């Protein structure tokens, strides 16, 4: 579900109790309270008018009397009833909240702990029996993650110190935050990078420092509603490419590196392309993976990997002989 749709769903779910608590309020006043436009309020009310409980007959649908001057809910269709959780539902919700606490920047830890305490108090011993070991320990939010989350909430630009794994470099850059996303068990800041002039994903555990700027975030309009930037494995075509042969037992690399042009081999292995910015980083990676990966091209990378592997073997041989190696390794 896109951020736009999920945001509207949350707003729609809150409109019935809101208007029930504020009978006769105008669309303009409600828009100010809810941070949207009067037109959006009227569009939401027209949507709510055909929503309700399963059955969807006249007696099941939410009923409203509304105009731009006055909005009154005449039938809530149960939307004002307190939510009652079964022990299983409470346990699932508690597990989900605790999982979110482990993801930096996704939620405010104090708010999550407060929600957990309330659910546990309401669910009683049934939910407490399913508390995993160590879950009662409070999670302290990383200061960098807190700074990024606060800037996103306040709509402020950020100055980041960021480590790029593919380039093996640390860079300084100013970004305009768009949102925080969770992809494959990692938290990312999606933002417009002013130096790259494009949308980029910044993994939270690779942000070394974050400073909120005084200016508001102003990502281009085209960057706000395009989810194609959430694709992690879209390699930069301007970077050099290494063609690799990956052994059958090493195909897990497909889940951890931005490999493209994958061709499955008869033995269960594969050939794939990995783009890189730093030849030294690429050579270190290939040598570190040992026999699991063979570099096929480009020729200069093949030569670099062979030289690094030979130097490592010389170092081991010198260590066994008790003499210093020529490479100093």
């Amino acid at each position: 579900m896109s951020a736009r749709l999920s945001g509207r769903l949350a707003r729609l779910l809150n409109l019935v109790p809101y208007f029930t608590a504020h009978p006769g309020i105008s669309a303009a006043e409600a828009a100010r309270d809810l941070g949207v436009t009067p037109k959006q309020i009227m569009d939401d009310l027209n949507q709510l008018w055909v929503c309700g409980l399963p059955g969807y007959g006249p007696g099941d649908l939410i009923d409203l009397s509304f105009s731009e001057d006055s909005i009154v809910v005449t039938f809530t269709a149960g939307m004002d009833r307190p939510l009652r959780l079964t022990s299983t539902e409470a346990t699932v919700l508690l597990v989900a909240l605790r999982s979110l606490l482990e993801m930096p920047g996704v939620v405010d830890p104090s708010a999550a702990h407060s929600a957990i305490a309330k659910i546990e108090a309401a669910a009683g011993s049934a939910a407490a029996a399913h508390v995993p070991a160590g879950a009662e320990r409070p999670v302290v939010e990383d200061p960098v993650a807190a700074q990024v989350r606060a800037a996103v909430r306040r709509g402020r630009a950020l100055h980041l110190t960021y480590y790029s794994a593919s380039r093996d470099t640390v860079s300084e850059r100013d970004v305009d935050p768009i949102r925080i996303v969770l992809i494959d068990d990692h938290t990312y800041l999606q933002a417009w990078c002013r130096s790259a002039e494009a949308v980029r994903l910044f993994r939270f555990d690779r942000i070394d420092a974050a400073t909120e700027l005084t200016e508001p975030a102003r990502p281009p309009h085209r960057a706000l509603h395009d989810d194609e930037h959430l694709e992690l494995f879209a390699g930069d075509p301007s970077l050099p490419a290494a063609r690799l042969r990956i052994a059958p037992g090493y195909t897990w690399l497909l889940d951890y590196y931005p490999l493209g042009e994958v061709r499955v081999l008869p033995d269960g292995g594969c050939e794939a392309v990995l783009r890189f910015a730093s030849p030294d980083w690429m050579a270190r990676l290939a040598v570190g993976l040992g026999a699991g990966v063979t570099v096929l091209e480009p020729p200069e990378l093949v030569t670099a990997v062979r030289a690094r592997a030979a130097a490592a073997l010389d170092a081991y041989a010198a260590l066994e002989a008790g003499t210093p190696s020529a490479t100093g390794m």
Side-chain angles (χ1 to χ4, degrees):
M1 180 183 293
S2 71
R4 225 175 354 168
L5 289 177
S6 61
R8 189 181 187 201
L9 175 61
R11 191 169 63 250
L12 285 170
L13 292 174
N14 283 287
L15 283 184
V16 174
Y18 171 82
F19 286 119
T20 301
H22 300 83
I25 193 171
S26 69
E29 291 172 319
R32 282 196 297 271
D33 285 350
L34 301 174
V36 295
T37 64
K39 180 181 183 303
Q40 184 64 68
I41 290 292
M42 299 305 291
D43 288 345
D44 288 345
L45 289 171
N46 278 296
Q47 181 71 49
L48 275 176
W49 192 57
V50 292
C51 296
L53 298 172
Y56 308 111
D60 305 309
L61 298 177
I62 296 169
D63 200 3
L64 310 108
S65 172
F66 62 94
S67 66
E68 291 189 357
D69 298 324
S70 176
I71 301 166
V72 177
V73 178
T74 56
F75 179 64
T76 65
M79 291 289 288
D80 57 344
R81 298 173 191 164
L83 177 64
R84 296 183 181 275
L85 299 174
T86 66
S87 61
T88 300
E89 290 170 337
T91 300
V92 170
L93 189 54
L94 288 170
V95 170
L97 282 169
R98 292 191 178 100
S99 297
L100 288 176
L101 279 171
E102 299 297 326
M103 302 296 173
V106 175
V107 295
D108 180 349
S110 60
H113 280 298
S114 175
I116 287 171
K118 291 174 181 176
I119 294 171
E120 287 178 338
S125 59
H130 294 83
V131 176
E136 68 282 354
R137 292 196 302 269
V139 176
V140 179
E141 186 170 24
D142 177 77
V144 173
Q147 183 73 276
V148 173
R149 187 170 53 78
V152 173
R153 186 178 68 251
R154 289 193 283 260
R156 296 285 185 179
L158 279 168
H159 179 79
L160 301 181
T161 303
Y162 187 73
Y163 169 70
S164 174
S166 63
R167 296 176 183 270
D168 196 23
T169 58
V170 175
S171 62
E172 305 272 340
R173 59 184 83 196
D174 292 338
V175 303
D176 296 290
I178 298 173
R179 55 183 165 173
I180 293 171
V181 295
L182 188 62
I183 305 174
D184 294 337
D185 297 328
H186 289 290
T187 312
Y188 294 83
L189 168 67
Q190 184 188 23
W192 177 264
C193 178
R194 296 179 182 179
S195 57
E197 296 187 347
V199 173
R200 292 288 185 265
L201 289 173
F202 301 96
R203 212 168 96 174
F204 268 60
D205 58 358
R206 293 177 182 165
I207 301 175
D208 293 333
T211 303
E212 184 177 319
L213 304 179
T214 57
E215 57 187 292
R218 293 193 180 94
H221 180 74
R222 68 180 185 275
L224 297 177
H225 307 299
D226 191 351
D227 288 345
E228 71 178 19
H229 306 292
L230 298 182
E231 175 55 61
L232 294 181
F233 301 127
D236 185 345
S238 67
L239 296 177
R243 180 166 294 278
L244 310 174
R245 180 182 292 120
I246 301 172
Y250 284 76
T251 52
W252 53 266
L253 290 169
L254 297 171
D255 295 327
Y256 289 88
Y257 293 93
L259 293 157
E261 301 180 31
V262 179
R263 182 171 69 89
V264 179
L265 301 175
D267 64 355
C270 64
E271 287 187 9
V273 169
L274 176 61
R275 295 193 177 272
F276 60 93
S278 168
D280 285 343
W281 175 86
M282 188 65 238
R284 286 202 310 273
L285 176 66
V287 172
L289 291 169
V293 170
T294 302
V295 178
L296 303 178
E297 56 184 38
E300 58 271 21
L301 180 60
V302 174
T303 301
V305 169
R306 285 174 177 167
R308 186 176 286 269
L313 290 173
D314 287 345
Y316 278 115
L319 184 64
E320 290 181 355
T323 59
S325 68
T327 62
M329 293 180 67

